[in-house]
Amino acid sequence: MTVSKVVATDFAATFDKLADIGCDSPTRGYRRLAWTEEDRAAREWFAGQAKKRKLGYERDRNGNLWAWWGDPADGDALVLGSHLDTVPRGGAYDGALGVVAGFVAVSEAQRRGLKPERPVAVAAFADEEGGRFGIPTFGSRLLVGAIDPSEVLDRTDQEGIRLADALKADGLEPESLGHDKELLDQIGGVVELHVEQGRGLVDLAAPLGVASGIWPHGRWRLTLRGEANHAGTTRLDDRHDPTLVLAEAILAARSAAARLGAVATIGRVHIDPGSINSVPGAVDAWLDARASHDVTLDELVESVAAETRLAGLRNDVSTELVCESRSPEVDFDLDLRIRLKEVLRGHELPTPDVPTAAGHDAGVLASRVPAAALFVRNPTGKSHTPAESASDEDCALGCAVLAELVAEWMCD
Amino acid sequence: MTVSKVVATDFAATFDKLADIGCDSPTRGYRRLAWTEEDRAAREWFAGQAKKRKLGYERDRNGNLWAWWGDPADGDALVLGSHLDTVPRGGAYDGALGVVAGFVAVSEAQRRGLKPERPVAVAAFADEEGGRFGIPTFGSRLLVGAIDPSEVLDRTDQEGIRLADALKADGLEPESLGHDKELLDQIGGVVELHVEQGRGLVDLAAPLGVASGIWPHGRWRLTLRGEANHAGTTRLDDRHDPTLVLAEAILAARSAAARLGAVATIGRVHIDPGSINSVPGAVDAWLDARASHDVTLDELVESVAAETRLAGLRNDVSTELVCESRSPEVDFDLDLRIRLKEVLRGHELPTPDVPTAAGHDAGVLASRVPAAALFVRNPTGKSHTPAESASDEDCALGCAVLAELVAEWMCD
């Protein structure tokens, strides 16, 4: 498939403007956490892109952004979207690429003189990473009614700011959050283009791949309570040191994941009081775990819980492992997957199925509307780091595929 | 020994006023970190106590507080002192008790109509705990020249404030810090009364004990560098996860300490980026280790370093363990220890020798002037926690012993 020069140029120009926002220039790391100044700057970029293409800009009551081509009230809309937020020190492509590709695809369809018989939207879903309040796919889960807002509004970020206050400061009404049936009813399909987060496509020498599904995954909070004491004068036998239990939990998570062909990570830990010369009294840690099937994920988490409980008993430290969020196994919509593969095959591109262990807004929306995801090859295979990558050629190719999908959607 | 009612009352009244500063009332936990508002309030309390007893108040250029009875220029002064800062969420007695006892002892000597033939001082040494900048026994080590100020002034606290700026904001001149020979030359002996930080005296049924010495102890910084990546999509074999190495370091420190009859603690950990859905790229952790002899401490730290290095190699994570501070074995001054024991024996009290693994200002000063420490029984045996304790009777008894020491010092 040859990508027209205008698509390639449009992609580069559109992406570059977004890539200025929240970038730490020495490391090329990105930090666009939800409801911050960087997030607002990205929103302004989104509104500007919508205006440039004469699309109707809207921010829904859950903080998701929409740029409508055609009238949403006509229904059966094709939504091309992803997210604009990043993890702290993330890469340039994760999320951003899918939103940029949506705009580039709409431009291409407009250039071909198509009319939106069925509406098309570019969307940016709010706080996909959960990098600030620990609630991933926040905007899409609110949209489908998978989060009860009252259960999360009192959560605080690392500076102690309440989610409700952060939302208010960013112009949203906390009391208006939640399930938006009217909006969902207007959607006929969602396609999320996303940089691949592993090396599957690199190994297959394929520039693009169609997501088959998403592994079930979730977050668990590990609460360990011992007793703070003096690090010099407290005999080992008199200690109730929760870091010893944490250490065993970290190793247990790794070994259970290895045994089950799954992945498990403890990436955030809070130790109290956190002074060098005190035996800590309390540890909070978060387990991220993902496996190919729900039953395997259950086995992984139960195994970590059991090992942690044993270590807690040995050290006289209380332990608790509580699920904070869990996403079930997702199979993407067969019809959309076939449409994407047909476009790829029509251009003599490979059409690999790619499973993933990463959550996506498209995975959340799949519970309510037909949804699919198209992955772009990532030469380094790295993700959630500035080393994440994608070539301009592969990105432009992804834009061109979305443009064909839009064209077909309109001619159906 | 019977403590006069006036000493008991003076102790309670003096201690209670200090105990209002930096106290979190629900938990009864104390937070008086160096160079903060709470620290300034404690300084005002100190100045007020000095004024009440007509003592000459002085803050030296290292931030240590002095209340002089008699003229320091006469030399051969007896110094009764400890510290007013606490660890975050510390107890009421650690440090504070020794300063209060100094003031109560001076009052009692004044009531007996004694004159300061040789000067006596009550002292509060600055930032003993190092709870904010990680530099314990800061004031006393500067005084004796054991810290090079230029090596620490750029350190930052957890909010990123530089030590030099914190000192300036608190009225000190960073360029004037350091060895104070003139002041040291005026000191004939230092006695630090301190709540015991373990259960030695409880087990011996002794209200007071004389410190024999301090275990050698220190702090080491553990630097682990791996690679940040996506917690869902990075295969276990592709990870360079420094938390796995941290876990092994925590367990290695514990097992080496158990083998060597020592203690070791990892009480502060920083994980970067610290987002739940990222494999961390970097971990910094601090090891606090103490043992009965220098050679045992060396063996402990070398063992932790070796185990950590092995775990680093297994996980392709770089490791480094660097000493940040180290205090050698301290033997307290025999003459002062004998004087304290004679006072105890004169009142038919037990005279146990108590070793300790905790650092003290008296331990630092012992390198330059005769120094000793008197421990007060701690019924819970706990330390660096609000559960730390001491009975009013035992505290008043400690004050009375110091008062006798002052009386003898003057009559020598």
Side-chain angles (χ1 to χ4, degrees), chain B residues 241-387:
Chain B
D241 183 348
T243 61
L244 296 171
V245 182
L246 171 70
E248 299 208 37
I250 290 171
L251 298 175
R254 168 67 167 226
S255 103
R259 181 163 46 83
L260 296 166
V263 291
T265 309
I266 292 185
R268 182 181 290 173
V269 171
H270 180 75
I271 296 184
D272 185 272
S275 92
I276 301 172
N277 55 355
S278 294
V279 178
V283 168
D284 294 293
W286 284 262
L287 169 72
D288 176 300
R290 312 174 192 226
S292 55
H293 298 288
D294 279 301
V295 56
T296 318
L297 183 57
D298 289 342
E299 190 178 336
L300 166 57
V301 174
E302 278 159 24
S303 166
V304 175
E307 293 285 349
T308 304
R309 214 174 304 129
L310 269 176
L313 287 168
R314 267 197 303 280
N315 291 283
D316 205 0
V317 166
S318 76
T319 67
E320 197 181 33
L321 189 66
V322 174
C323 185
E324 284 198 341
S325 74
R326 176 157 178 166
S327 307
E329 212 170 325
V330 169
D331 287 315
F332 281 119
D333 182 69
L334 263 179
D335 175 57
L336 280 172
R337 286 166 65 191
I338 291 167
R339 281 172 180 253
L340 285 166
K341 289 194 177 201
E342 281 174 350
V343 175
L344 294 173
R345 188 177 312 157
H347 293 278
E348 290 174 7
L349 287 167
T351 62
D353 279 310
V354 187
T356 177
H360 288 292
D361 293 307
V364 170
L365 294 163
S367 66
R368 293 295 312 276
V369 295
L374 180 68
F375 290 140
V376 176
R377 174 167 53 189
N378 175 351
T380 63
K382 298 186 194 305
S383 180
H384 285 187
T385 148

Side-chain angles (χ1 to χ4, degrees), chain A residues 259-291:
Chain A
R259 181 165 44 85
L260 296 165
V263 291
T265 309
I266 292 184
R268 181 181 290 175
V269 170
H270 180 75
I271 296 183
D272 186 271
S275 91
I276 301 172
N277 55 354
S278 293
V279 177
V283 169
D284 294 293
W286 283 263
L287 169 72
D288 176 299
R290 312 173 192 227

Side-chain angles (χ1 to χ4, degrees), chain A residues 42 48 57 98 116 136 178 180 184 232 238 252 260 299 328 343 379 393:
Chain A
Y57 169 69
D180 194 339
L184 282 170
D238 293 337
L260 296 165
E299 191 178 335
V343 175
E393 293 70 27

Side-chain angles (χ1 to χ4, degrees), chain A residues 124-260:
Chain A
F125 299 100
D127 197 8
E128 193 267 351
E129 301 289 4
R132 185 169 167 200
F133 290 98
I135 314 167
T137 54
F138 181 75
S140 52
R141 284 199 289 154
L142 283 169
L143 174 58
V144 302
I147 296 179
D148 177 351
S150 67
E151 285 181 7
V152 296
L153 284 170
D154 283 331
R155 286 231 199 146
T156 52
D157 67 7
Q158 295 198 333
E159 263 107 61
I161 297 169
R162 282 174 65 240
L163 172 57
D165 295 327
L167 293 170
K168 267 187 236 165
D170 204 44
L172 291 173
E173 294 171 355
E175 58 279 13
S176 303
L177 295 183
H179 186 199
D180 194 339
K181 184 174 181 306
E182 196 187 345
L183 180 50
L184 282 170
D185 284 348
Q186 296 168 341
I187 299 175
V190 173
V191 176
E192 179 165 8
L193 179 142
H194 202 283
V195 64
E196 199 197 1
Q197 294 170 285
R199 305 193 302 195
L201 294 172
V202 175
D203 291 350
L204 296 165
L208 302 169
V210 179
S212 50
I214 300 182
W215 280 16
H217 58 280
R219 293 173 176 196
W220 287 259
R221 183 189 183 119
L222 182 60
T223 305
L224 308 174
R225 293 292 177 265
E227 186 179 56
N229 218 322
H230 191 289
T233 57
T234 315
R235 290 178 286 211
L236 297 184
D237 288 347
D238 293 337
R239 296 182 175 209
H240 311 287
D241 183 348
T243 61
L244 296 171
V245 181
L246 171 70
E248 299 210 38
I250 290 171
L251 298 175
R254 169 67 166 225
S255 103
R259 181 165 44 85
L260 296 165

Side-chain angles (χ1 to χ4, degrees), chain B residues 8-77:
Chain B
T9 310
D10 190 12
F11 166 73
T14 310
F15 190 79
D16 283 359
K17 273 189 199 140
L18 179 57
D20 287 341
I21 302 170
C23 181
D24 173 47
S25 46
T27 63
R28 300 294 304 160
Y30 283 81
R31 185 184 179 86
R32 290 195 298 258
L33 300 185
W35 335 113
T36 61
E37 203 178 314
E38 292 76 21
D39 194 29
R40 282 188 282 280
R43 188 158 77 233
E44 279 165 31
W45 168 89
F46 185 97
Q49 294 297 324
K51 193 173 175 190
K52 193 172 147 188
R53 290 168 179 81
K54 302 193 169 57
L55 310 179
Y57 169 69
E58 219 174 74
R59 187 186 196 199
D60 72 23
R61 53 188 165 80
N62 292 309
N64 305 308
L65 312 181
W66 301 83
W68 289 98
W69 189 28
D71 185 354
D74 291 347
D76 205 18

Side-chain angles (χ1 to χ4, degrees), chain A residues 374-394:
Chain A
L374 180 67
F375 290 139
V376 176
R377 175 167 54 188
N378 175 352
T380 64
K382 298 186 193 308
S383 182
H384 285 186
T385 147
E388 171 195 274
S389 67
S391 72
D392 283 354
E393 293 70 27
D394 290 352

